[in-house]
Amino acid sequence: MALQSLFAGDMKGSQTEISLDWLLEEDPLPAKYQAFAKELLAGIDDRKAELDQTILHYAPAWPVAQLPAVDRNILRIALFELKHHKETPNKTAINEAVELAKTFGSDSSARFINGVLGSVMADLEMGELAPSGA
């Protein structure tokens, strides 16, 4: 739901929370999942510039605005979880991002996203990129 909401927000230029509310009307989720989706969206919205800079740093050949919207938003979600959401294990964030890319992205999306997030993970483990907590 968070990915669909971010994607809709990108396409419509509207707020992601409005998109999420609309999606939840069509396909309700249990309260704890709704809360998690809202937490992701709020965190991503608050840190979008920082997350996009991280994408640019780890994928300099791909300006963020030129990335496919699905890939861009999968990376934003995973980077938010890696850097700011300690409750999500790093490997889980990466695995979920790769699975989303396989399902919703192009043929090369999963490989691209895994490569970017693998580099981020390596820097987190080496202390070259500090997580900032939630």
Side-chain angles (χ1 to χ4, degrees), residues 105-120:
S106 68
D107 290 341
S108 61
S109 293
R111 187 172 50 250
F112 171 71
I113 286 169
N114 190 52
V116 171
L117 296 177
S119 295
V120 170

Side-chain angles (χ1 to χ4, degrees), residues 63-81:
V64 175
Q66 292 179 7
L67 284 172
V70 170
D71 295 359
R72 176 175 54 244
N73 286 302
I74 290 171
L75 285 169
R76 285 173 176 160
I77 291 169
L79 289 170
F80 174 76
E81 289 182 302

Side-chain angles (χ1 to χ4, degrees), residues 17-33:
E17 189 170 323
I18 294 169
S19 298
L20 180 63
D21 291 340
W22 176 78
L23 289 167
L24 289 171
E25 284 179 20
E26 295 293 315
D27 190 13
L29 289 175
K32 74 177 187 175
Y33 298 125

Side-chain angles (χ1 to χ4, degrees), residues 92-125:
T92 301
I94 292 171
N95 288 339
E96 290 295 323
V98 170
E99 289 303 315
L100 285 170
K102 286 178 183 176
T103 301
F104 297 107
S106 68
D107 290 341
S108 61
S109 293
R111 187 172 50 250
F112 171 71
I113 286 169
N114 190 52
V116 171
L117 296 177
S119 295
V120 170
M121 181 73 171
D123 282 357
L124 282 168
E125 289 174 348

